[in-house]
Amino acid sequence: DAKTTQPNSMESNEEEPVHLPCNHSTISGTDYIHWYRQLPSQGPEYVIHGLTSNVNNRMASLAIAEDRKSSTLILHRATLRDAAVYYCILFSGGYQKVTFGIGTKLQVIP
Amino acid sequence: DGGITQSPKYLFRKEGQNVTLSCEQNLNHDAMYWYRQDPGQGLRLIYYSQIVNDFQKGDIAEGYSVSREKKESFPLTVTSAQKNPTAFYLCASSLGLTGNQPQHFGDGTRLSIL
């Protein structure tokens, strides 16, 4: 099964950019890279996803390495509302063993 | 607004009792999922369904059962065979069962043992 590795925690100052890394060295050609974030006692919220090319949306940007073995979620200006646990997950057709892992807990400092 | 509704928000189970968690979506999504989250841990997949009347086991299906009689509904039953049911249960849905579809989550049901 394709697995992802993320740092347990990161800190950022408010209004500064944040780069959240994810390693997925065993990624297969059909795996999409997804990012979700979760606040305490809430369900995860979709942030962004991509396959090979970098992606941008209103919430964030996703930078995918050329060999696809790593990716980075970029929050351009961190706000206090961005403090959450961020999960990097690989999805492809067939979900038998999807696991979110423990993610990266992002703390935003005012 | 379309979304996923899970009920109840909190649920208590007595020893030897089966309980059913509700999940309803009005997003017209074909695929639905159930996850379990333990304190300080990530999500683990229990069951998923690609279409009505079809569902598949995930990584930790033992002690759980599901049904998918309607597109909008995917209830999860926690049976007495599940010896450690205390957890946060999350339901999700997506347009289809492909990697290119984001999942939308409900706000969860927290199950505790009395």
Side-chain angles (χ1 to χ4, degrees):
Chain A
D1 302 325
K3 298 279 189 247
T4 63
T5 304
Q6 301 176 252
N8 287 345
S9 63
M10 291 184 64
E11 282 186 1
S12 173
N13 293 320
E14 196 176 9
E15 298 190 2
E16 289 188 356
V18 184
H19 290 232
L20 297 165
C22 181
N23 287 320
H24 28 79
S25 58
T26 59
I27 191 170
S28 73
T30 58
D31 284 332
Y32 283 80
I33 303 158
H34 286 237
W35 284 83
Y36 293 78
R37 67 183 185 184
Q38 186 179 26
L39 295 172
S41 297
Q42 293 187 22
E45 175 189 26
Y46 166 77
V47 178
I48 200 166
H49 78 284
L51 182 63
T52 56
S53 303
N54 294 345
V55 184
N56 300 296
N57 66 21
R58 63 175 180 81
M59 291 181 70
S61 295
L62 176 60
I64 301 172
E66 194 169 339
D67 64 4
R68 301 212 323 129
K69 293 185 177 181
S70 66
S71 61
T72 302
L73 178 70
I74 303 166
L75 307 179
H76 296 286
R77 288 185 65 204
T79 69
L80 295 178
R81 288 183 296 179
D82 291 323
V85 176
Y86 286 79
Y87 297 101
C88 167
I89 310 108
L90 303 181
F91 282 145
S92 60
Y95 279 78
Q96 288 89 342
K97 292 207 178 266
V98 170
T99 303
F100 272 51
I102 64 171
T104 296
K105 185 173 185 177
L106 175 66
Q107 183 180 0
V108 180
I109 303 167
Chain B
D1 270 330
I4 297 182
T5 301
Q6 290 188 243
S7 61
K9 191 171 180 64
Y10 299 95
L11 188 59
F12 298 91
R13 193 189 90 168
K14 295 179 180 178
E15 295 287 345
Q17 187 181 48
N18 293 352
V19 291
T20 298
L21 284 60
S22 171
C23 177
E24 303 277 333
Q25 56 100 356
N26 60 3
L27 298 166
N28 200 31
H29 284 172
D30 284 318
M32 297 188 73
Y33 316 83
W34 275 105
Y35 294 90
R36 168 183 172 137
Q37 186 172 34
D38 292 286
Q41 302 298 314
L43 283 68
R44 291 182 291 168
L45 184 65
I46 305 173
Y47 268 98
Y48 64 99
S49 168
Q50 185 173 2
I51 200 168
V52 173
N53 292 324
D54 177 74
F55 48 83
Q56 304 295 328
K57 292 181 179 180
D59 201 23
I60 55 165
E62 186 174 350
Y64 300 97
S65 65
V66 293
S67 62
R68 187 88 187 275
E69 297 177 1
K70 298 187 300 181
K71 186 175 185 177
E72 303 79 17
S73 178
F74 191 41
L76 173 75
T77 297
V78 184
T79 74
S80 57
Q82 173 50 245
K83 298 306 178 188
N84 185 23
T86 298
F88 188 46
Y89 290 87
L90 288 156
C91 179
S93 72
S94 64
L95 270 174
L97 199 72
T98 69
N100 197 25
Q101 300 297 338
Q103 293 193 7
H104 300 257
F105 285 82
D107 282 335
T109 292
R110 194 168 298 278
L111 176 62
S112 302
I113 298 300
L114 288 177

Coordinates of all heavy atoms in Angstrom, one line a residue, chain B residues 38-106:
Chain B
D38 N -9.6 7.2 16.3 CA -9.3 7.1 17.7 C -8.5 8.3 18.1 O -7.9 9.0 17.3 CB -8.5 5.8 17.9 CG -9.4 4.6 17.7 OD1 -10.3 4.3 18.5 OD2 -9.2 3.9 16.7
P39 N -8.6 8.6 19.4 CA -7.9 9.9 19.9 C -6.5 10.0 19.5 O -5.7 9.1 19.6 CB -8.0 9.7 21.4 CG -9.2 8.9 21.6 CD -9.2 7.9 20.5
G40 N -6.1 11.1 18.9 CA -4.8 11.4 18.5 C -4.3 10.6 17.2 O -3.1 10.6 16.9
Q41 N -5.2 9.9 16.6 CA -4.9 9.1 15.5 C -5.5 9.6 14.2 O -6.4 10.5 14.2 CB -5.3 7.7 15.7 CG -4.7 7.0 17.0 CD -3.2 7.0 16.9 OE1 -2.7 6.5 15.9 NE2 -2.5 7.4 17.9
G42 N -5.1 9.0 13.1 CA -5.7 9.4 11.8 C -7.0 8.5 11.6 O -7.5 7.8 12.5
L43 N -7.6 8.6 10.4 CA -8.8 7.9 10.1 C -8.5 6.5 9.5 O -7.5 6.4 8.7 CB -9.6 8.7 9.1 CG -10.4 9.9 9.6 CD1 -9.5 11.0 10.0 CD2 -11.4 10.4 8.5
R44 N -9.3 5.6 9.8 CA -9.2 4.2 9.2 C -10.5 3.8 8.6 O -11.6 4.1 9.1 CB -8.8 3.2 10.3 CG -7.4 3.4 10.8 CD -7.0 2.3 11.8 NE -7.8 2.4 13.0 CZ -7.8 1.5 14.0 NH1 -7.2 0.3 13.8 NH2 -8.5 1.7 15.1
L45 N -10.4 3.3 7.4 CA -11.6 3.0 6.6 C -12.3 1.7 7.1 O -11.6 0.6 7.2 CB -11.2 2.8 5.1 CG -12.3 2.6 4.1 CD1 -13.2 3.8 4.0 CD2 -11.7 2.2 2.7
I46 N -13.6 1.8 7.3 CA -14.4 0.6 7.8 C -15.1 -0.1 6.7 O -14.9 -1.3 6.4 CB -15.4 1.1 8.9 CG1 -14.8 1.8 10.0 CG2 -16.2 -0.2 9.4 CD1 -15.8 2.4 11.0
Y47 N -15.9 0.7 5.9 CA -16.6 0.2 4.8 C -16.7 1.3 3.8 O -16.7 2.5 4.1 CB -18.0 -0.3 5.2 CG -18.2 -1.7 5.5 CD1 -18.2 -2.1 6.9 CD2 -18.4 -2.7 4.6 CE1 -18.4 -3.4 7.3 CE2 -18.5 -4.0 4.9 CZ -18.6 -4.4 6.3 OH -18.7 -5.7 6.6
Y48 N -16.9 0.9 2.5 CA -17.2 1.9 1.5 C -18.2 1.3 0.5 O -18.4 0.0 0.4 CB -16.0 2.4 0.8 CG -15.2 1.3 0.0 CD1 -15.4 1.2 -1.4 CD2 -14.3 0.5 0.6 CE1 -14.7 0.3 -2.1 CE2 -13.6 -0.4 -0.1 CZ -13.8 -0.6 -1.4 OH -13.1 -1.5 -2.1
S49 N -18.9 2.2 -0.2 CA -19.9 1.7 -1.2 C -19.8 2.5 -2.4 O -19.8 3.8 -2.4 CB -21.3 1.9 -0.6 OG -22.3 1.8 -1.5
Q50 N -19.8 1.9 -3.5 CA -19.6 2.6 -4.8 C -21.0 2.9 -5.4 O -21.1 3.9 -6.2 CB -18.9 1.7 -5.8 CG -18.6 2.3 -7.1 CD -17.7 1.5 -8.0 OE1 -17.3 0.4 -7.6 NE2 -17.3 2.0 -9.1
I51 N -22.0 2.1 -5.0 CA -23.3 2.3 -5.7 C -24.4 1.6 -4.8 O -24.0 0.8 -3.9 CB -23.3 1.7 -7.1 CG1 -24.5 2.3 -7.9 CG2 -23.3 0.2 -7.0 CD1 -24.3 1.9 -9.4
V52 N -25.6 1.9 -5.0 CA -26.7 1.3 -4.2 C -26.6 -0.2 -4.3 O -26.3 -0.8 -5.3 CB -28.1 1.8 -4.7 CG1 -29.2 1.1 -4.0 CG2 -28.2 3.3 -4.5
N53 N -26.9 -0.8 -3.1 CA -26.9 -2.3 -3.0 C -25.5 -2.9 -3.2 O -25.4 -4.1 -3.4 CB -27.9 -2.9 -3.9 CG -29.3 -2.6 -3.6 OD1 -29.7 -2.5 -2.4 ND2 -30.2 -2.4 -4.6
D54 N -24.5 -2.1 -3.1 CA -23.1 -2.7 -3.2 C -22.3 -2.0 -2.1 O -22.3 -0.8 -2.0 CB -22.5 -2.4 -4.6 CG -21.1 -2.9 -4.6 OD1 -20.9 -4.1 -4.7 OD2 -20.2 -2.1 -4.6
F55 N -21.5 -2.8 -1.4 CA -20.5 -2.2 -0.4 C -19.4 -3.2 -0.2 O -19.5 -4.4 -0.5 CB -21.2 -1.9 0.9 CG -22.0 -2.9 1.5 CD1 -21.5 -4.0 2.2 CD2 -23.4 -2.9 1.3 CE1 -22.3 -5.0 2.8 CE2 -24.2 -3.9 1.8 CZ -23.7 -4.9 2.6
Q56 N -18.2 -2.7 0.2 CA -17.0 -3.4 0.3 C -16.4 -3.2 1.7 O -16.5 -2.1 2.2 CB -16.0 -3.1 -0.8 CG -16.5 -3.2 -2.2 CD -16.8 -4.7 -2.6 OE1 -16.2 -5.6 -2.1 NE2 -17.8 -4.9 -3.4
K57 N -15.7 -4.2 2.2 CA -15.0 -4.0 3.5 C -13.7 -3.1 3.3 O -13.0 -3.2 2.3 CB -14.6 -5.4 4.0 CG -15.7 -6.2 4.5 CD -15.2 -7.5 5.0 CE -16.4 -8.4 5.5 NZ -15.9 -9.7 6.0
G58 N -13.5 -2.3 4.3 CA -12.2 -1.6 4.3 C -11.2 -2.3 5.2 O -11.2 -3.5 5.3
D59 N -10.4 -1.5 5.8 CA -9.3 -2.1 6.6 C -9.7 -2.7 7.9 O -9.1 -3.6 8.4 CB -8.2 -1.0 6.8 CG -6.9 -1.6 7.1 OD1 -6.6 -2.8 6.7 OD2 -6.0 -1.0 7.8
I60 N -10.8 -2.2 8.5 CA -11.2 -2.6 9.9 C -12.6 -2.9 10.0 O -13.3 -2.5 10.8 CB -10.8 -1.6 10.9 CG1 -11.4 -0.2 10.5 CG2 -9.2 -1.4 11.0 CD1 -11.3 0.8 11.7
A61 N -13.2 -3.8 9.1 CA -14.6 -4.0 9.0 C -15.2 -5.0 10.1 O -16.4 -5.0 10.3 CB -14.9 -4.6 7.6
E62 N -14.3 -5.7 10.8 CA -14.8 -6.7 11.7 C -15.6 -6.0 12.9 O -15.1 -5.1 13.5 CB -13.6 -7.5 12.3 CG -14.0 -8.6 13.2 CD -12.9 -9.5 13.7 OE1 -11.8 -9.3 13.1 OE2 -13.1 -10.3 14.6
G63 N -16.8 -6.6 13.1 CA -17.6 -6.0 14.2 C -18.5 -4.9 13.7 O -19.2 -4.3 14.5
Y64 N -18.5 -4.6 12.4 CA -19.4 -3.6 11.9 C -20.2 -4.1 10.7 O -19.8 -5.1 10.1 CB -18.5 -2.4 11.3 CG -17.7 -1.7 12.3 CD1 -16.3 -2.0 12.5 CD2 -18.2 -0.7 13.1 CE1 -15.5 -1.4 13.4 CE2 -17.4 0.0 14.0 CZ -16.0 -0.4 14.2 OH -15.2 0.3 15.1
S65 N -21.3 -3.5 10.4 CA -22.1 -3.9 9.2 C -22.7 -2.6 8.7 O -22.9 -1.6 9.4 CB -23.2 -4.9 9.5 OG -24.1 -4.4 10.4
V66 N -23.0 -2.7 7.3 CA -23.6 -1.5 6.7 C -24.7 -2.0 5.7 O -24.8 -3.2 5.4 CB -22.5 -0.7 5.9 CG1 -21.5 0.0 6.8 CG2 -21.9 -1.6 4.8
S67 N -25.4 -1.0 5.2 CA -26.4 -1.3 4.1 C -26.4 -0.1 3.2 O -26.1 1.0 3.7 CB -27.8 -1.6 4.7 OG -28.3 -0.5 5.4
R68 N -26.8 -0.3 2.0 CA -26.9 0.8 1.1 C -28.2 0.6 0.2 O -28.1 0.2 -1.0 CB -25.7 0.9 0.2 CG -25.7 2.2 -0.7 CD -25.1 3.4 0.0 NE -25.2 4.6 -0.8 CZ -24.4 5.0 -1.7 NH1 -23.4 4.3 -2.1 NH2 -24.6 6.2 -2.3
E69 N -29.3 0.8 0.8 CA -30.6 0.6 0.1 C -31.0 1.8 -0.7 O -31.8 1.7 -1.6 CB -31.7 0.2 1.1 CG -31.4 -1.1 1.8 CD -32.4 -1.4 2.9 OE1 -33.4 -0.6 3.1 OE2 -32.3 -2.5 3.6
K70 N -30.5 3.0 -0.3 CA -30.8 4.2 -1.0 C -29.5 4.9 -1.3 O -28.6 4.9 -0.6 CB -31.8 5.1 -0.2 CG -33.1 4.5 0.1 CD -34.0 5.6 0.8 CE -33.4 6.1 2.1 NZ -34.3 7.1 2.8
K71 N -29.5 5.7 -2.4 CA -28.3 6.4 -2.8 C -27.9 7.4 -1.7 O -26.7 7.7 -1.4 CB -28.6 7.2 -4.1 CG -27.4 7.9 -4.7 CD -27.7 8.5 -6.0 CE -26.5 9.1 -6.7 NZ -26.8 9.6 -8.0
E72 N -28.9 8.0 -1.0 CA -28.7 9.1 0.0 C -28.2 8.6 1.3 O -27.7 9.3 2.1 CB -29.9 9.9 0.2 CG -30.5 10.5 -1.1 CD -31.4 9.5 -1.9 OE1 -31.7 8.5 -1.4 OE2 -31.6 9.8 -3.1
S73 N -28.4 7.3 1.6 CA -28.2 6.8 3.0 C -27.2 5.6 3.1 O -27.3 4.7 2.2 CB -29.6 6.4 3.5 OG -29.5 5.9 4.8
F74 N -26.4 5.7 4.1 CA -25.4 4.6 4.3 C -25.2 4.4 5.8 O -24.2 4.8 6.4 CB -24.1 5.1 3.6 CG -23.0 4.0 3.5 CD1 -23.4 2.7 3.1 CD2 -21.7 4.3 3.7 CE1 -22.4 1.7 3.0 CE2 -20.7 3.3 3.5 CZ -21.1 2.0 3.2
P75 N -26.2 3.8 6.5 CA -26.1 3.6 7.9 C -25.0 2.5 8.3 O -24.8 1.6 7.6 CB -27.5 3.1 8.3 CG -28.0 2.5 7.1 CD -27.4 3.3 5.9
L76 N -24.4 2.8 9.4 CA -23.4 1.9 10.0 C -23.9 1.3 11.3 O -24.3 2.0 12.2 CB -22.1 2.6 10.2 CG -21.0 1.9 11.0 CD1 -20.3 0.9 10.0 CD2 -19.9 2.8 11.5
T77 N -23.9 0.0 11.4 CA -24.2 -0.7 12.7 C -23.0 -1.2 13.4 O -22.1 -1.9 12.7 CB -25.2 -1.9 12.4 OG1 -26.4 -1.3 11.9 CG2 -25.5 -2.6 13.7
V78 N -22.8 -0.8 14.6 CA -21.7 -1.2 15.4 C -22.3 -2.4 16.2 O -23.1 -2.2 17.1 CB -21.2 -0.1 16.3 CG1 -19.9 -0.6 17.1 CG2 -20.8 1.1 15.5
T79 N -21.8 -3.6 16.0 CA -22.4 -4.8 16.6 C -21.7 -5.1 17.9 O -20.6 -4.5 18.2 CB -22.3 -6.0 15.7 OG1 -20.9 -6.5 15.7 CG2 -22.8 -5.7 14.3
S80 N -22.3 -6.0 18.7 CA -21.7 -6.4 20.0 C -20.3 -7.1 19.8 O -19.6 -7.3 20.7 CB -22.7 -7.3 20.8 OG -23.0 -8.4 20.0
A81 N -20.1 -7.5 18.5 CA -18.8 -8.2 18.2 C -17.7 -7.3 18.2 O -16.5 -7.7 18.3 CB -18.9 -9.0 16.9
Q82 N -17.9 -6.0 18.1 CA -16.9 -4.9 18.1 C -16.5 -4.7 19.6 O -17.3 -4.0 20.3 CB -17.3 -3.7 17.4 CG -16.4 -2.5 17.5 CD -15.0 -2.8 17.1 OE1 -14.1 -2.7 18.0 NE2 -14.7 -3.2 15.9
K83 N -15.4 -5.2 20.0 CA -15.1 -5.1 21.4 C -14.5 -3.8 21.9 O -14.5 -3.5 23.1 CB -14.0 -6.2 21.7 CG -14.5 -7.6 21.5 CD -15.8 -7.9 22.2 CE -16.4 -9.3 21.9 NZ -17.8 -9.5 22.4
N84 N -14.1 -3.0 21.0 CA -13.6 -1.7 21.4 C -14.2 -0.6 20.5 O -13.6 0.0 19.7 CB -12.0 -1.6 21.2 CG -11.4 -0.3 21.7 OD1 -12.0 0.4 22.5 ND2 -10.3 0.0 21.2
P85 N -15.5 -0.3 20.7 CA -16.2 0.6 19.8 C -16.1 2.1 20.1 O -16.5 2.9 19.3 CB -17.7 0.1 20.0 CG -17.8 -0.3 21.4 CD -16.4 -1.0 21.7
T86 N -15.5 2.4 21.2 CA -15.4 3.8 21.6 C -14.5 4.5 20.6 O -13.3 4.2 20.5 CB -14.8 4.0 23.0 OG1 -15.8 3.4 23.9 CG2 -14.7 5.4 23.4
A87 N -15.0 5.5 19.9 CA -14.3 6.2 18.8 C -15.1 7.3 18.2 O -16.3 7.4 18.6 CB -13.8 5.2 17.7
F88 N -14.5 8.1 17.4 CA -15.2 9.1 16.6 C -15.4 8.5 15.2 O -14.5 8.1 14.5 CB -14.3 10.3 16.6 CG -14.9 11.6 16.0 CD1 -16.2 12.0 16.3 CD2 -14.2 12.4 15.1 CE1 -16.8 13.1 15.8 CE2 -14.8 13.6 14.6 CZ -16.1 13.9 15.0
Y89 N -16.7 8.5 14.8 CA -17.1 7.8 13.5 C -17.4 8.9 12.5 O -18.3 9.8 12.7 CB -18.2 6.9 13.6 CG -17.8 5.6 14.4 CD1 -17.9 5.6 15.8 CD2 -17.3 4.5 13.8 CE1 -17.5 4.5 16.5 CE2 -16.9 3.4 14.5 CZ -17.0 3.4 15.9 OH -16.6 2.3 16.6
L90 N -16.8 8.8 11.3 CA -17.0 9.8 10.3 C -17.5 9.2 9.0 O -17.0 8.1 8.5 CB -15.7 10.5 10.0 CG -15.2 11.5 11.1 CD1 -13.7 11.7 11.0 CD2 -16.0 12.8 10.9
C91 N -18.5 9.8 8.4 CA -19.1 9.4 7.1 C -18.6 10.4 6.1 O -18.5 11.6 6.3 CB -20.6 9.3 7.3 SG -21.5 8.8 5.7
A92 N -18.4 9.9 4.9 CA -18.0 10.7 3.8 C -18.7 10.3 2.5 O -19.2 9.1 2.4 CB -16.5 10.7 3.6
S93 N -18.6 11.1 1.5 CA -19.2 10.8 0.2 C -18.3 11.4 -0.9 O -17.6 12.4 -0.7 CB -20.6 11.2 0.0 OG -20.8 12.6 -0.1
S94 N -18.4 10.9 -2.1 CA -17.7 11.5 -3.3 C -18.5 11.1 -4.5 O -19.3 10.2 -4.5 CB -16.3 11.0 -3.4 OG -16.2 9.6 -3.6
L95 N -18.3 11.9 -5.6 CA -19.0 11.6 -6.8 C -18.9 10.2 -7.3 O -19.8 9.6 -7.7 CB -18.6 12.6 -7.9 CG -19.3 13.9 -8.0 CD1 -18.6 14.8 -9.0 CD2 -20.8 13.7 -8.4
G96 N -17.7 9.7 -7.2 CA -17.4 8.4 -7.7 C -16.2 7.8 -7.0 O -15.5 8.5 -6.2
L97 N -16.0 6.5 -7.2 CA -14.9 5.8 -6.5 C -13.6 5.9 -7.3 O -13.0 4.9 -7.7 CB -15.3 4.4 -6.3 CG -14.6 3.6 -5.2 CD1 -15.0 4.1 -3.8 CD2 -14.9 2.1 -5.3
T98 N -13.2 7.1 -7.6 CA -11.9 7.3 -8.3 C -11.0 8.2 -7.5 O -11.5 9.0 -6.7 CB -12.1 7.8 -9.7 OG1 -12.5 9.2 -9.6 CG2 -13.1 7.0 -10.5
G99 N -9.8 8.2 -7.8 CA -8.8 9.0 -7.1 C -9.0 10.5 -7.4 O -8.5 11.3 -6.7
N100 N -9.7 10.8 -8.4 CA -9.9 12.2 -8.8 C -11.0 12.9 -8.2 O -11.4 14.1 -8.5 CB -10.0 12.3 -10.4 CG -9.7 13.7 -10.9 OD1 -9.0 14.5 -10.2 ND2 -10.3 14.0 -12.0
Q101 N -11.7 12.3 -7.3 CA -12.9 12.9 -6.6 C -12.6 13.2 -5.2 O -12.3 12.3 -4.4 CB -14.1 11.9 -6.8 CG -14.5 11.6 -8.2 CD -15.0 12.8 -8.9 OE1 -15.4 13.8 -8.4 NE2 -14.9 12.7 -10.3
P102 N -12.7 14.4 -4.8 CA -12.6 14.7 -3.3 C -13.7 14.2 -2.5 O -14.8 14.0 -3.0 CB -12.6 16.3 -3.3 CG -13.3 16.7 -4.6 CD -13.0 15.6 -5.6
Q103 N -13.4 13.9 -1.3 CA -14.4 13.4 -0.3 C -15.0 14.5 0.5 O -14.2 15.4 0.9 CB -13.8 12.3 0.5 CG -13.4 11.0 -0.3 CD -13.2 9.8 0.6 OE1 -13.4 9.9 1.8 NE2 -12.7 8.8 0.0
H104 N -16.3 14.4 0.8 CA -16.9 15.4 1.6 C -17.3 14.7 2.9 O -18.0 13.6 2.8 CB -18.2 16.0 0.9 CG -17.8 16.7 -0.4 ND1 -17.8 18.0 -0.5 CD2 -17.5 16.2 -1.6 CE1 -17.5 18.4 -1.7 NE2 -17.3 17.3 -2.4
F105 N -17.0 15.3 4.0 CA -17.2 14.6 5.3 C -18.4 15.2 6.1 O -18.6 16.4 6.0 CB -16.0 14.7 6.2 CG -14.9 13.7 5.7 CD1 -14.0 14.1 4.7 CD2 -14.7 12.5 6.3 CE1 -13.1 13.2 4.3 CE2 -13.7 11.6 5.9 CZ -12.9 12.0 4.9
G106 N -19.0 14.4 6.9 CA -20.0 14.9 7.9 C -19.2 15.3 9.2 O -18.0 15.2 9.2

